[in-house]
Amino acid sequence: MENCNEKLLGCEVVESNDNFSSKPKARRSRNSTVTGALILSLTFNVIFILRIYSYSHDESVAKSKYGTANPQYTIALADTISAGLINNVDVPYVWDTDRSNPNDTERNKLWYEDEESNEGIMAMDNEEAEMLGLQRSQPWPWDKKKSIHITNGHHNLHCLRNIYISINEYSTGVPQSLERSHVLHCLGALYDDIKCNADDTPRFTNRGVKPGEGQIRKCRDWSQLRKWVKERDGCFKYIKHDVQNISTIERMKYCSNDSKYLPLIREFFGLKDTWFPWPYVEQEGYLIKGEEFRGRDFE
Ligand SMILES: *[C@@H]1O[C@H](CO)[C@@H](O)[C@H](O)[C@H]1NC(C)=O
Ligand SMILES: *[C@@H]1O[C@H](CO)[C@@H](O)[C@H](O)[C@H]1NC(C)=O
Ligand SMILES: *[C@@H]1O[C@H](CO)[C@@H](O)[C@H](O)[C@H]1NC(C)=O
């Protein structure tokens, strides 16, 4: 892969394995299963279209097609998921927020210590991804039945944080810790996202008042998104963001302390049983890109 602008996950992670490619073979040998599935799928499609039709008549504006608002999905997996977000939360516009606080210490703390910008990486069951109509994605190293996806919302946060870091380094005379191409990628991505959302909420204007200040708009519930992601924890922490040659797998060992994947992770990295991901302790050494494949088999 040549175009490696997306540095949150890097470009190298893990070679695609047989998770998806082996499926067609399995399918060919089970024609009756396929027919059954096809009928089931047609049934879902009909219900899906009917549901879409009824949704278009209800009051909330935008719905994501993922998670519970995806009718096909809801029927299949009932209450096991919680995203599928709709614009149903009242939130006022605020002109000056904590993130534009003129106090450098307080503002930097919010931007630099923003764990949420790490959170969007999910280890999603391949079956779930397939059901959601998602494109084939690279396998998650600790469970080959899962693949790595990142929510667009979290990717945006990550990008904004990168731009903040770059601006802050510029204005304090510190050398840039991120590659320029990465920062430019982020600007372009956010620009496109704004265009994509084409937010048509008219903000009121008034003499002496900042446009829209305090005006209520409808938002999606970010906490629900976080919950949905957490349930598919990709165990990602963006450690050593200034190190270009670090293997992404180093950033993918931050499962919760009670994760069933810890033994596998410890074994892969040669860590002791007393090693826990949290609280995070700054590590010295790290695998560099490509090294995760050398003499190791983590499948
Ligand atoms: C900025 O915030 C820090 C931490 O709250 C505080 O100690 C400091 O006095 C503030 N600086 C100014 C200039 O207000
Ligand atoms: C990886 O990058 C760091 C600087 O970020 C450098 O000090 C180190 O020598 C590099 N390691 C290799 C093996 O290229
Ligand atoms: C993780 O486990 C370690 C070791 O048992 C413990 O000291 C630490 O408090 C735990 N951290 C969290 C966030 O659970």
Side-chain angles (χ1 to χ4, degrees):
M1 221 190 294
E2 283 310 318
N3 188 356
C4 287
N5 282 338
E6 177 37 56
K7 292 290 163 46
L8 187 58
L9 276 178
C11 318
E12 94 284 15
V13 193
V14 182
E15 290 292 306
S16 289
N17 68 5
D18 57 351
N19 290 335
F20 284 86
S21 51
S22 67
K23 279 198 170 166
K25 272 184 236 144
R27 276 206 192 113
R28 252 177 265 125
S29 62
R30 295 196 199 107
N31 278 333
S32 59
T33 316
V34 172
T35 313
L38 209 69
I39 291 167
L40 207 64
S41 151
L42 281 173
T43 313
F44 281 155
N45 283 344
V46 170
I47 296 168
F48 181 76
I49 288 161
L50 290 175
R51 289 283 203 96
I52 291 264
Y53 182 74
S54 69
Y55 275 164
S56 68
H57 291 281
D58 81 34
E59 73 221 75
S60 42
V61 256
K63 286 175 193 282
S64 87
K65 75 180 180 108
Y66 306 105
T68 49
N70 180 344
Q72 188 177 0
Y73 197 80
T74 312
I75 293 162
L77 285 185
D79 296 318
T80 57
I81 52 157
S82 56
L85 302 172
I86 59 173
N87 290 54
N88 60 353
V89 182
D90 289 340
V91 182
Y93 287 111
V94 180
W95 194 266
D96 298 303
T97 80
D98 289 348
R99 285 177 188 262
S100 42
N101 183 346
N103 183 313
D104 295 340
T105 317
E106 291 179 1
R107 191 190 59 249
N108 281 339
K109 187 172 163 56
L110 286 180
W111 283 106
Y112 276 90
E113 296 172 22
D114 182 10
E115 285 293 335
E116 281 187 42
S117 65
N118 283 321
E119 283 175 0
I121 287 162
M122 295 181 285
M124 198 181 245
D125 282 332
N126 290 337
E127 280 178 13
E128 177 181 35
E130 203 168 17
M131 207 179 300
L132 290 172
L134 296 171
Q135 200 166 316
R136 175 185 138 158
S137 197
Q138 64 187 319
W140 191 59
W142 316 120
D143 187 342
K144 64 178 178 177
K145 291 197 291 299
K146 298 183 176 187
S147 52
I148 305 171
H149 289 81
I150 174 167
T151 72
N152 186 53
H154 284 91
H155 178 262
N156 282 346
L157 275 193
H158 157 79
C159 263
L160 211 55
R161 179 173 180 271
N162 283 342
I163 294 169
Y164 181 83
I165 290 171
S166 175
I167 291 173
N168 193 53
E169 286 166 348
Y170 171 76
S171 60
T172 54
V174 170
Q176 295 285 305
S177 60
L178 290 150
E179 283 174 323
R180 184 171 162 77
S181 62
H182 193 183
V183 178
L184 290 176
H185 147 74
C186 281
L187 277 172
L190 292 175
Y191 178 88
D192 282 353
D193 220 53
I194 289 167
K195 288 277 181 88
C196 174
N197 283 312
D199 186 348
D200 55 357
T201 315
R203 294 169 77 125
F204 80 90
T205 64
N206 221 338
R207 261 175 205 276
V209 182
K210 285 148 181 167
E213 178 82 303
Q215 179 183 333
I216 301 294
R217 35 90 179 256
K218 290 280 183 195
C219 296
R220 291 183 183 173
D221 188 342
W222 183 262
S223 67
Q224 288 300 310
L225 181 64
R226 290 185 78 186
K227 188 163 166 266
W228 189 64
V229 165
K230 192 67 195 161
E231 285 161 4
R232 290 151 185 75
D233 191 5
C235 303
F236 189 89
K237 182 172 168 58
Y238 192 33
I239 60 164
K240 301 189 186 290
H241 81 265
D242 54 340
V243 178
Q244 311 299 342
N245 56 15
I246 189 171
S247 166
T248 304
I249 206 164
E250 289 280 6
R251 294 176 173 152
M252 211 157 262
K253 59 180 178 304
Y254 296 96
C255 298
S256 55
N257 273 0
D258 58 359
S259 166
K260 66 174 179 182
Y261 297 109
L262 281 202
L264 211 59
I265 292 170
R266 289 192 189 108
E267 190 192 334
F268 178 76
F269 288 99
L271 294 161
K272 294 198 180 106
D273 284 353
T274 49
W275 180 84
F276 285 91
W278 304 101
Y280 172 68
V281 177
E282 184 71 22
Q283 61 184 67
E284 294 301 317
Y286 52 85
L287 295 176
I288 61 164
K289 281 177 184 164
E291 239 175 20
E292 67 272 27
F293 300 116
R294 259 170 244 158
R296 292 164 191 263
D297 179 17
F298 53 85
E299 292 297 348

